[in-house]
Amino acid sequence: MRFLPLTDADRADMLKAIGAASVEDLFCDVPASARQKGPLPLPEGLSEMEVERRLSTMASRNLTPGDVPCFLGAGAYRHHIPAAIDQLLLRGEFLTAYTPYQPEVSQGTLQYLFEFQTQVAMITGMEVANASLYDGATASAEAALMAARVTKRDKILLSGGLHPHYREVTATQARFTHLKVEALAPDPFGIEDLMGRIDAQTACVIVQLPGFFGHLKDYSALAKTCEAQGALLVVAVTEPVALGLIKPPGAMGADIVIGDGASLGVGLNFGGPGLGLMAVREKYVRQMPGRLIGETVDADGKRGWVLTLSTREQHIRREKATSNICTNSGLCALAFSMHMTFLGEAGFTNLAKLNHARAVQLAERLGALKGVKVLAGSFFNEFAVQLPKPATPVVEAMAARRILAGVPVSRFYPSWPELENVMLIAATETVTDEDMDALIEGLQGVLS
Amino acid sequence: MSMNSFTGNRALVIEEPLIFEQGEPQRSGVDLPQAPEIADRLGGLERQGAIGLPGLAEPECVRHYTRLSQKNFGIDTGFYPLGSCTMKHNPRLNEKAARLPGFSGVHPLQPASTVQGALEAISLLGRWLMDLTGMPAIAMSPAAGAHGELCGLMAIRAAHEDRGDARQIVLVPESAHGTNPATATLCGYQVVSIPANEKGRVDLAALKAKLDNKVAALMLTNPNTCGLFESEILEIASAVKAAGAYFYCDGANFNAIVGRVKVADLGIDAMHINLHKTFSTPHGGGGPGAGPVVLSERLKAYAPVPFVRTGENGLELVEHCLGDGEKSFGRMKGFHGQFGVMIRSLAYILSMGGNGLWQASSDAVLNANYLLARLSVELTPSFPDGPCMHEALFDDRFLKDTGVTTLDFAKAMIDEGFHPMTMYFPLVVHGALLMEPTETESKQTLDLYVDTLLSLARKAKAGGAADDFKAAPRMTPRRRLDETRAARSPVLRWKASE
């Protein structure tokens, strides 16, 4: 077996050094009744060539967005990733390192995470960011818990424009703690009233920018209401590319910004791994979950970085920790950070402009289709459309024409018949004029 | 940093500034097509002013990250015996497989008919993990070990609540990973600690004394964090069951027993499996991982959504607590879990096969016992009376009166080219040194490591070497860092100087 260096002669020598007759003797503490009897019900091991063949066949059974026109979003966005990023990610010193517990031999990881924290804080307009969580949806649950710790309150108000997975994961977490979730109805028109629902029990309000249905809203007034009521404003960002063009949540007065960074550097991967982002006001940093990297000096006075404020974390504080998170999304944070570095200020801004321009072109063409209505007046690279018939069969029929047209909202909200005809549609820089032509032509056929 | 270095830059170890200290705003490492002219639809919400990001061209970016990588120790660099973390070789075929465009490029919300291969991958890996444990159900969506723990406890709490049996307590041995008690709190439970006995196992009598109708579950790591198999696990399981509680097993150390122990035969109700440990996916500087959870019949119905099932038109996802998912405790992760990590594990299992997995756990245990036997000449094993499993635990008695601490010893190992073992964990022994060699290390590597550690131990014991140890490491890009200063006045980001 190619991953196992020991030879039978090695094994015999080692058993002799140990003073055991066989490897079986080393398992003597295992009760006889629990030992594996007979061979494992798994196939024989395969050569590299055979494994590749098997998995390539499996992968070929998927319709790959890179091969067809793709307008899917709803929390996962297809972007072009510069070629150098993946090659750098594969460097073994990044790929095969663990959490930087020994800072003298982990300055590479620590420095890129410090840079990552800075980039996330900058684009969200916040003071500090952590070194990542699992994904945006779990970051939402963590933000709710954090807000409850900060405010010592238990009511969590969830916007109807927040991604349904963020809502569901937060509600699941709430069910098993003292938190009480109040989730507003899904809000395809962007008209909900959150301010009237904030009271003296409210720990936080969680909204999204751009909203799940595409709307761009300035939450500055909401932030003021939250502040007046002693509640925190949490703003979720599922598409960080938007922050290259729009007013950042920090400038609106957000207390906590969460989101998913998979748009940059990470890629789609059928939705996982994601990259949980969290940025906060500095005064709340000791209530923050997840790892933090801090600057310091070494014994020679040279600048360096270490894991810091660890007394918040499970390996020190155990049942009193701010979270149970240990493994996070380190390599995805590196991918994100690399992509941001490659883009830089100019590239990030231009990428955002290109996304928006593509979406505006798409909205204009879709709005001209008979019976199709674009539901968001303002948006970034995604918006909801109302179709003249149920969205699910439309999307299926389009897929049969090898076009990934959009995401039916009923996939998230099956119990809401009024959303049956609503579809989310996104256009990133990867969409070409030909893709749009194919979409419009396909929809004309399917909707007629 | 000195710009006229003689020599702050040491050959391959070159000082590298932060990206924010390089470049200029108009430069970029990415060329993009010109955006078409449009009337924007931002509703007046465009950003005012610059973000402040630096701009670097591609060659500068590549060099920056290459230099950073050279300041890191990885498994590819050398022996990394970090106990409890299973730093085994990460096969590159796994990476190639996960990058097949048909996997890496697939969107999570495509119609099921267009992702049959992706659903097959999740389903097949789930099937094999159930086969390897003998357990009847699996939740594939948890993102990491601690997230898997949360999944297991949520299923347990949902099961109790379904019977109208609200319970408040979770029992956790004092040797447990910190994630166990933290998870119990996150699931709304109160944690009660169980002591270890003098053999490094759970004290069965103490456990029984704490078991009553308020106890929801026991969380037990097996093999435990002392690297020992819980030899009374069957008695533990039946006592837990008799009290009406559930048995959660922390499967962080499953790599020791794959193919040798049927988890189902241990009386376990739920166990997470760290794909990034046992099934060879990279740790990536701290993630991403994946923590699927196998479940017993008693907990099966409460598993989180989504899950894959076979429908009329092939495989499909159940994404809501309706129909088949009626009793599910809900969703705990966006989309469908750590798909990219699952593909890597699938490639690993296909490569290893049943026999290979059996040989891997055998060699992992053999390697650990070899370290235990050889190092016991100079170091002090905490539990010398029998074999260990996949990791060997020593304490700091061998350093008594030398002036050298576990930390000093570990830092001296760095200068010798080894990544230190896990230090000061588990908490049940003093100054712990927990070493996990894994099966992917050769006897030559182990011998070199042992000889080095024995020399270091002799040097410490000879006396007069404490200052030398405390000055280590000397050969690293940075020497010991001031952690107190970092925590006292935290600098958590770069800021432009005024």
Side-chain angles (χ1 to χ4, degrees):
Chain A
M1 206 297 126
R2 60 188 180 274
F3 310 143
L4 303 177
L6 295 187
T7 63
D8 284 340
D10 289 334
R11 292 181 182 112
D13 283 352
M14 291 164 79
L15 282 168
K16 203 168 153 197
I18 294 164
S22 70
V23 173
E24 308 308 313
D25 288 358
L26 304 176
F27 287 86
C28 59
D29 291 324
V30 179
S33 64
R35 296 197 194 177
Q36 176 76 33
K37 293 150 207 84
L40 288 174
L42 258 66
E44 287 289 305
L46 300 174
S47 68
E48 257 205 22
M49 185 176 66
E50 292 165 304
V51 176
E52 270 189 63
R53 198 177 290 148
R54 172 98 190 254
L55 289 176
S56 295
T57 305
M58 205 183 278
S60 70
R61 298 185 59 217
N62 298 324
L63 183 64
T64 307
D67 295 339
V68 298
C70 173
F71 299 87
L72 307 188
Y77 303 89
R78 182 166 178 264
H79 292 289
H80 178 261
I81 302 172
I85 291 179
D86 196 44
Q87 309 221 356
L88 290 164
L89 274 182
L90 280 169
R91 286 191 69 92
E93 304 92 329
F94 290 139
L95 188 77
T96 73
Y98 189 52
T99 303
Y101 290 132
Q102 299 284 349
E104 301 89 346
V105 286
S106 310
Q107 285 298 305
T109 299
L110 288 159
Q111 184 172 337
Y112 79 62
L113 288 175
F114 186 79
E115 293 174 348
F116 169 79
Q117 288 176 182
T118 305
Q119 289 166 326
V120 173
M122 280 180 158
I123 63 169
T124 55
M126 300 298 285
E127 289 165 341
V128 293
N130 73 8
S132 81
L133 299 169
Y134 306 133
D135 70 358
T138 62
S140 174
E142 290 279 16
L145 289 163
M146 178 178 162
R149 286 192 297 274
V150 169
T151 60
K152 302 190 169 57
R153 298 177 179 183
D154 59 7
K155 193 173 111 181
I156 310 296
L157 193 56
L158 301 179
S159 160
L162 178 62
H163 194 290
H165 286 175
Y166 291 41
R167 284 158 55 101
E168 289 167 32
V169 173
T170 307
T172 302
Q173 181 58 61
R175 174 183 163 188
F176 295 99
T177 48
H178 61 287
L179 301 186
K180 295 176 188 69
V181 160
E182 187 180 331
L184 273 68
D187 184 29
F189 299 101
I191 50 171
E192 69 186 1
D193 170 33
L194 286 159
M195 296 205 216
R197 290 171 182 266
I198 301 167
D199 59 29
Q201 277 72 53
T202 308
C204 69
V205 183
I206 310 184
V207 297
Q208 184 173 315
L209 182 76
F212 178 67
F213 294 96
H215 307 277
L216 294 181
K217 289 189 192 176
D218 193 330
Y219 294 116
S220 300
L222 182 64
K224 289 203 175 69
T225 306
C226 283
E227 194 181 2
Q229 292 279 4
L232 302 190
L233 176 64
V234 180
V235 179
V237 179
T238 64
E239 171 52 299
V241 173
L243 299 176
L245 194 54
I246 64 173
K247 185 174 176 180
M252 298 177 183
D255 296 288
I256 302 174
V257 177
I258 52 146
D260 203 301
S263 265
L264 288 163
V266 179
L268 291 172
N269 299 301
F270 201 43
L275 168 60
L277 306 177
M278 182 181 269
V280 305
R281 289 177 187 266
E282 194 154 19
K283 63 180 173 183
Y284 301 135
V285 74
R286 283 170 202 275
Q287 292 299 337
M288 197 181 204
R291 297 205 178 95
L292 286 164
I293 312 305
E295 189 177 300
T296 188
V297 294
D298 79 349
D300 294 332
K302 288 184 186 166
R303 179 175 69 172
W305 291 275
V306 291
L307 290 168
T308 194
L309 301 181
S310 303
T311 49
R312 300 164 299 113
E313 292 187 73
Q314 48 77 24
H315 63 281
I316 309 284
R317 283 290 291 248
R318 300 177 78 83
E319 67 269 21
K320 295 189 179 67
T322 54
S323 169
N324 69 338
I325 193 166
C326 180
T327 288
N328 55 19
S329 306
L331 202 68
C332 302
L334 174 58
F336 175 101
S337 187
M338 282 181 181
H339 200 166
M340 285 297 289
T341 301
F342 274 73
L343 286 165
E345 178 93 18
F348 188 47
T349 308
N350 288 338
L351 177 64
K353 280 183 185 157
L354 187 52
N355 273 257
H356 183 57
R358 279 304 193 191
V360 169
Q361 289 181 315
L362 181 64
E364 281 166 7
R365 295 187 66 176
L366 284 168
L369 282 180
K370 192 162 167 265
V372 177
K373 191 169 173 241
V374 176
L375 297 185
S378 62
F379 54 81
F380 173 61
N381 68 357
E382 181 174 32
F383 46 84
V385 292
Q386 178 94 30
L387 301 175
K389 48 169 85 167
T392 300
V394 169
V395 164
E396 295 280 355
M398 292 291 282
R401 297 174 178 227
R402 294 178 62 83
I403 297 168
L404 296 166
V407 179
V409 170
S410 61
R411 178 156 178 182
F412 297 98
Y413 290 112
S415 315
W416 296 77
E418 59 269 47
L419 297 173
E420 205 182 7
N421 292 11
V422 180
M423 180 173 87
L424 291 177
I425 185 157
T428 72
E429 79 282 2
T430 63
V431 166
T432 64
D433 290 339
E434 291 73 27
D435 291 342
M436 283 200 222
D437 294 344
L439 177 80
I440 299 296
E441 194 190 325
L443 280 176
Q444 278 167 338
V446 169
L447 293 177
S448 63
Chain B
M1 180 188 13
S2 167
M3 283 297 137
N4 49 358
S5 145
F6 279 102
T7 171
N9 294 320
R10 286 168 293 167
L12 288 175
V13 186
I14 303 169
E15 289 296 314
E16 178 63 11
L18 291 165
I19 50 167
F20 309 101
E21 297 158 348
Q22 306 182 42
E24 49 182 308
Q26 62 271 48
R27 218 180 289 163
S28 178
V30 180
D31 293 326
L32 290 163
Q34 188 68 36
E37 286 297 320
I38 44 113
D40 84 68
R41 294 189 58 178
L42 298 172
L45 218 62
E46 54 269 61
R47 174 188 274 278
Q48 307 296 320
I51 301 166
L53 296 166
L56 282 73
E58 177 173 319
E60 298 173 284
C61 295
V62 169
R63 194 168 283 166
H64 177 70
Y65 290 106
T66 302
R67 286 182 177 176
L68 291 193
S69 76
Q70 289 174 319
K71 299 175 201 300
N72 258 11
F73 194 106
I75 302 166
D76 289 1
T77 316
F79 187 40
Y80 208 131
L82 196 63
S84 228
C85 299
T86 314
M87 304 303 285
K88 65 168 73 172
H89 172 64
N90 303 137
R92 289 313 193 272
L93 175 61
N94 299 359
E95 299 303 314
K96 191 173 181 188
R99 283 165 173 77
L100 288 166
F103 290 139
S104 65
V106 179
H107 192 283
L109 299 170
Q110 293 180 216
S113 59
T114 69
V115 289
Q116 288 296 298
L119 298 178
E120 182 190 351
I122 298 176
S123 173
L124 182 62
L125 178 61
R127 174 80 260 149
W128 282 345
L129 294 177
M130 287 190 279
D131 285 345
L132 283 170
T133 54
M135 299 288 278
I138 190 159
M140 293 297 283
S141 69
H147 206 223
E149 293 171 25
L150 188 61
C151 172
L153 285 201
M154 283 178 169
I156 286 167
R157 185 143 169 184
H160 272 132
E161 284 175 358
D162 199 26
R163 288 201 303 272
D165 183 8
R167 294 182 173 221
Q168 301 93 42
I169 291 170
V170 167
L171 302 179
V172 180
E174 59 188 9
S175 61
H177 296 117
T179 52
N180 288 185
T183 300
T185 301
L186 206 52
C187 202
Y189 287 117
Q190 187 191 329
V191 175
V192 172
S193 188
I194 302 290
N197 64 22
E198 73 287 353
K199 290 177 185 156
R201 271 87 172 181
V202 167
D203 185 326
L204 185 58
L207 170 68
K208 284 182 173 169
K210 297 250 164 76
L211 275 171
D212 59 25
N213 62 7
K214 292 192 188 63
V215 174
L218 166 71
M219 293 183 92
L220 179 67
T221 307
N222 186 50
N224 68 26
T225 61
C226 300
L228 303 171
F229 196 90
E230 290 285 349
S231 44
E232 293 181 304
I233 193 161
L234 299 177
E235 291 79 0
I236 291 170
S238 58
V240 168
K241 200 166 193 172
Y246 291 94
F247 186 1
Y248 186 86
C249 182
D250 181 325
N253 298 333
F254 182 53
N255 60 306
I257 57 173
V258 175
R260 288 195 163 266
V261 177
K262 266 241 163 92
V263 169
D265 295 337
L266 299 174
I268 284 164
D269 288 298
M271 183 182 87
H272 75 261
I273 299 168
N274 305 70
L275 297 184
H276 50 291
K277 294 180 180 177
T278 303
F279 295 99
S280 86
T281 75
H283 285 70
V293 178
V294 287
L295 297 165
S296 66
E297 277 303 337
R298 304 202 291 164
L299 293 178
K300 187 177 176 178
Y302 307 98
V305 291
F307 52 85
V308 180
R309 74 167 172 204
T310 306
E312 280 173 23
N313 302 310
L315 297 170
E316 58 191 30
L317 281 162
V318 176
E319 296 181 283
H320 297 277
C321 302
L322 305 162
D324 279 5
E326 191 185 23
K327 286 198 166 184
S328 162
F329 71 70
R331 171 180 288 277
M332 63 181 312
K333 171 95 175 64
F335 303 120
H336 325 306
Q338 305 284 69
F339 181 73
V341 180
M342 295 181 207
I343 297 299
R344 289 170 174 85
S345 297
L346 202 53
Y348 176 73
I349 296 177
L350 282 165
S351 297
M352 297 294 280
N355 290 345
L357 292 172
W358 181 90
Q359 190 65 57
S361 50
S362 304
D363 285 358
V365 170
L366 181 63
N367 278 355
N369 278 282
Y370 185 67
L371 292 188
L372 182 65
R374 284 209 56 204
L375 287 171
S376 293
V377 177
E378 295 289 350
L379 278 63
T380 37
S382 301
F383 302 102
D385 294 339
C388 62
M389 299 300 289
H390 63 298
E391 54 193 347
L393 177 62
F394 300 87
D395 50 47
D396 63 3
R397 283 171 296 157
F398 75 102
L399 296 172
K400 192 167 182 293
D401 301 328
T402 62
V404 177
T405 63
T406 293
L407 179 74
D408 301 330
F409 194 80
K411 297 300 185 193
M413 285 169 62
I414 293 176
D415 275 340
E416 300 296 337
F418 295 107
H419 193 283
M421 66 295 273
T422 292
M423 314 175 299
Y424 301 103
F425 181 85
L427 308 174
V428 293
V429 304
H430 197 270
L433 303 92
L434 183 66
M435 305 172 191
E436 179 175 7
T438 83
E439 72 279 7
T440 59
E441 295 299 333
S442 67
K443 180 171 178 293
Q444 287 82 351
T445 299
L446 300 184
D447 282 332
L448 184 62
Y449 172 79
V450 167
D451 293 341
T452 306
L453 260 61
L454 293 178
S455 301
L456 286 173
R458 286 185 199 112
K459 177 177 163 183
K461 289 178 187 181
D467 289 346
D468 204 31
F469 274 91
K470 292 202 186 300
R474 294 183 181 81
M475 328 293 271
T476 42
R478 286 293 178 272
R479 296 182 59 207
R480 286 197 208 186
L481 291 122
D482 188 344
E483 300 194 10
T484 312
R485 170 179 164 146
R488 200 186 297 130
S489 42
V491 177
L492 305 173
R493 60 172 289 185
W494 173 85
K495 275 187 189 145
S497 49
E498 295 302 315

